[in-house]
Amino acid sequence: MAPLKSLEQEYPILDSNFQSFCASHDIFSVEDLLLHDLYVLAAFAEQESSSERLKQGIAQVLSIIDGQHQPWLNGMELLEDAQRNKHVLSTGCEGIDLLLHGGLRVGQLTELVGPSSSGKTQVCLLAASNVAKKHIGSVVYLDTGNSFSPQRVTQFICQHSDPAIDQAKHTTLRKVMNNISCQSVFDIFTMFDVLHQLEFNLRSQIQGGDCKVQLLIVDSVSSMVTPILGGSGSQGHALMISAGYLLKKLAHEHNVAVLVTNHTVGGDGGISKPALGESWKSIPHVRLLLSRDHGGSICCW
Amino acid sequence: MEAKGWISGDESAKEMLGRVLSRARPFLLLPPLHRVPLRPRNVLEIVGPSPSAKTHLLIQAALTCVLPVDWNGVHYGGFDGLAIFIDLDCRFDIFRFSHLLKLRLASGSISEIDREQNDNTKKRSSIAYDEELYTLCMRRFSYVRCYDSFEFLATLKTLHYRIQKEKAYGNCVHMLLIDSIGAFHWIDRASTCLPLRGNNRKSHSIQTVLETVVQEIRKLLLLHPMLAIATKATLFGNRAMNEAKCRNLRKPDTSYSQSGGITALQLPYREYMPSAWQTFVTHRILLRPSDDHLAVSDDQNHSVYFSEWLLPSLSFLDKFIVKEAGVFLVA
């Protein structure tokens, strides 16, 4: 909530006269201006002595507000951006790639839902190793349950390479493993910290190495959100939705594919349903349901 | 004399009807929105759980808006104007929009597309469409994303100037589409601001945010007559109703599908928007998925959705499915 005073340096028209006029209408920051009717304010400004300058100040504030939302795009520009940046990352598993029409799409949030030990972490590890190896991109893996296994990733990477010289294989393995950055997060506030830091790094384009982040995996988002949901307060839901929007923003603005896992809970009539409730349903773009018995998957969104 | 001037009138009824009808013609949108004529300055709310094809209806409305009435002898029946799409849900897929537009251009009217899609020989091969018209229509679609309420308010406040700029180029905006008006409900609900100075300072709460949103949209609709359509996801189920439904699971569920109408007491969701928004909405339609599936061809199994008009309250349900070429009614 930047107060109007701080804008005076950059925009000298928002001087102390303008600020005191706004203060008389209980407006102290730009966000307050967003909640007020600017036409009414301009009408009040008419009655003041320095009405011209005040109205210029209001016009200046409007142009500041215009810079506060995302840019407008038309259909062709959207399509060009999507074709250029929003390609598809293969997960390494043909069956899942088929369901996802090619793989994990950059710019979208894919959710894997399933009961315990239905293979969600395995899919995450496979996708991480595949992207690090084939797509020349780096992976950020946020692990909430200490389930990241470097040995398993090594197995995935070395699976398809021919038994060449050990030295060359070792170097490739090192390079690929360097592209996967694993961090343990155990609560949602740490996750917010990590994601904000990642956003800052991506925005200022500081690379840890020479590879751009292509895939972000959060395993599992439900174990971080479930402890804060419930009760009569709405803070838990607000944090969950904020986290969802932060992930979507990272995905779209910085061209990252996001993969999250979720577990299932019992629902009406004994049928299990994904956890995190109705509000979370509108966050992911694609939802894959994994079940254990037959190894089948249902895709729904 | 002056008194005579009072009685003689300004224009005849014929002239008045000619003036009014030429500017404000009723919109007949594609099914399932076709039952009630929608005009500019109407506000339609499409409400439903997730997923229930709400965004698809918005996309179809946007397509109808950007297409011309006629082009090169083919009748498209569009409104030949700009469509403004404010995406609060941030899940819009431009590839799907582009695909639907190409299918519409290739076939003219939507019933023809249905016939062609069912004809397996023409499946997924190259679609012949007019490049120039395609680019024109894509350019008429304006899109912006908002990641929180402040960005949404900032967009609404500056929208008037944008529309005026477009009018200067000769383009008229016919539709304002908002995807998921309740997207920031939880975030706004949980954010409370301690007033720092002044007792009358407006705090950032759902009430004030939505009142400002309604105020801005109302001003926009006054200045630029257009149709506003907003989708809303149901965040809360109606627990009593769901429990009753579960207890009756073993009995055949005839009551729901046959009797049709739902009275206000039996709404399957709880209304969470403030009254400022509820009174602003002039039309409301409820979508929900049914348990039936419709097998269109061997490999495609589409789920059937119900749609029901709540405002004005019509007492029957429409059934529709979403196929590759869009939304189609099922008899």
Side-chain angles (χ1 to χ4, degrees), chain A residues 47 71 87 105 109 117 125 146 175 206 208 217 253 268 270 274:
Chain A
Q47 300 166 3
H87 44 274
R105 185 169 281 283
L109 204 152
S117 46
L125 292 173
N146 288 332
K175 211 164 60 163
I206 301 170
I217 301 181
E253 305 294 327
D268 304 323

Side-chain angles (χ1 to χ4, degrees), chain A residues 1 3 5 25-29 31-39 62 65-66 68-76 78-80 82-83 86 105 107-108 232-235 237-238 241-242 245 248-250 252-253 268-269 271 278-279 281-286 301, chain B residues 49-51 84-86 88-95 98 134-135 138-139 141-147 150-151 153-155 157-162 183-184 186-187 189-190 193 197-204 208-209 212 215-216 219 223 234-235 242 246 249:
Chain A
M1 273 233 189
K5 227 177 351 185
H25 293 279
D26 293 307
I27 298 173
F28 298 100
S29 68
E31 277 76 13
D32 284 337
L33 270 167
L34 282 177
L35 293 170
H36 267 83
D37 189 341
L38 290 177
Y39 293 104
L62 259 177
I65 290 176
D66 201 15
Q68 284 204 335
H69 59 79
Q70 303 292 323
W72 283 93
L73 296 167
N74 65 34
M76 285 310 289
L78 261 181
L79 191 64
E80 277 161 20
Q83 281 167 341
K86 310 281 194 278
R105 185 169 281 283
Q108 286 190 356
S232 54
S234 50
Q235 275 78 8
H237 281 93
I241 303 288
S242 302
Y245 270 89
K248 282 203 274 202
K249 188 173 185 181
L250 272 172
H252 189 259
E253 305 294 327
D268 304 323
I271 316 163
E278 284 287 322
S279 326
K281 272 195 197 171
S282 60
I283 300 281
H285 292 86
V286 181
W301 69 300
Chain B
S50 174
I84 293 191
F85 194 102
I86 306 184
L88 304 183
D89 215 18
C90 305
R91 290 197 294 174
F92 184 72
D93 187 4
I94 188 68
F95 291 123
S98 157
Y134 172 75
T135 320
M138 288 292 271
R139 291 228 162 89
F141 179 74
S142 278
Y143 174 87
V144 74
R145 315 186 130 208
C146 299
Y147 291 109
F150 289 126
E151 290 188 12
L153 284 172
T155 312
K157 284 216 183 292
T158 50
L159 194 49
H160 167 65
Y161 299 101
R162 189 177 172 84
F184 306 123
W186 286 112
I187 303 178
R189 197 162 131 173
C193 294
R197 272 190 285 178
N199 294 325
N200 294 328
R201 194 174 175 190
K202 275 192 185 175
S203 63
H204 174 73
T208 48
V209 169
T212 317
Q215 203 179 56
E216 293 297 326
K219 272 190 284 179
L223 294 170
T234 57
L235 296 180
N242 287 337
C246 288
L249 262 180

Side-chain angles (χ1 to χ4, degrees), chain A residues 46-58:
Chain A
E46 280 284 326
Q47 300 166 3
E48 299 280 325
S49 53
S50 53
S51 63
E52 271 311 308
R53 240 185 111 70
L54 286 176
K55 282 200 280 195
Q56 280 175 5
I58 294 178

Side-chain angles (χ1 to χ4, degrees), chain B residues 98-310:
Chain B
S98 157
H99 188 61
L100 281 173
L101 179 60
K102 285 181 187 167
L103 284 175
R104 274 293 283 274
L105 290 181
S107 313
S109 73
I110 201 153
S111 52
E112 277 179 49
I113 307 170
D114 198 13
R115 253 180 286 133
E116 272 181 27
Q117 286 293 311
N118 287 337
D119 181 11
N120 281 334
T121 54
K122 281 195 184 180
K123 231 184 195 179
R124 265 151 252 234
S125 54
S126 59
I127 308 169
Y129 58 92
D130 190 342
E131 277 280 346
E132 192 194 335
L133 181 56
Y134 172 75
T135 320
L136 175 69
C137 290
M138 288 292 271
R139 291 228 162 89
R140 281 183 181 166
F141 179 74
S142 278
Y143 174 87
V144 74
R145 315 186 130 208
C146 299
Y147 291 109
D148 58 46
S149 325
F150 289 126
E151 290 188 12
F152 183 34
L153 284 172
T155 312
L156 285 178
K157 284 216 183 292
T158 50
L159 194 49
H160 167 65
Y161 299 101
R162 189 177 172 84
I163 298 181
Q164 268 192 323
K165 216 168 46 167
E166 294 290 340
K167 270 199 175 151
Y169 290 129
N171 299 325
C172 216
V173 180
H174 284 311
M175 268 194 217
L176 173 67
L177 306 159
I178 303 177
D179 197 358
S180 213
I181 190 88
F184 306 123
H185 170 80
W186 286 112
I187 303 178
D188 289 337
R189 197 162 131 173
S191 68
T192 51
C193 294
L194 296 169
L196 296 167
R197 272 190 285 178
N199 294 325
N200 294 328
R201 194 174 175 190
K202 275 192 185 175
S203 63
H204 174 73
S205 65
I206 332 174
Q207 299 290 337
T208 48
V209 169
L210 269 158
E211 273 167 13
T212 317
V213 165
V214 164
Q215 203 179 56
E216 293 297 326
I217 301 182
R218 189 174 275 142
K219 272 190 284 179
L220 277 170
L221 292 182
L222 267 179
L223 294 170
H224 313 278
M226 50 187 174
L227 174 63
I229 309 182
T231 59
K232 190 177 79 175
T234 57
L235 296 180
F236 306 95
N238 191 336
R239 203 174 290 168
M241 193 171 189
N242 287 337
E243 279 170 9
K245 199 178 167 196
C246 288
R247 264 182 268 125
N248 294 336
L249 262 180
R250 263 181 267 142
K251 301 183 206 161
D253 194 15
T254 50
S255 57
Y256 225 39
S257 43
Q258 279 181 7
S259 68
I262 303 179
T263 63
L265 297 168
Q266 298 174 22
L267 277 178
Y269 70 95
R270 187 153 63 87
E271 181 64 67
Y272 57 88
M273 298 292 280
S275 58
W277 174 260
Q278 288 184 45
T279 48
F280 181 55
V281 168
T282 59
H283 294 75
R284 190 175 282 128
I285 185 170
L286 169 70
L287 306 180
R288 59 179 186 276
S290 75
D291 296 321
D292 310 322
H293 282 71
L294 193 66
V296 172
S297 60
D298 289 328
D299 55 344
Q300 291 172 27
N301 208 8
H302 298 285
S303 40
V304 180
Y305 300 96
F306 285 130
S307 80
E308 182 185 352
W309 281 94
L310 295 177

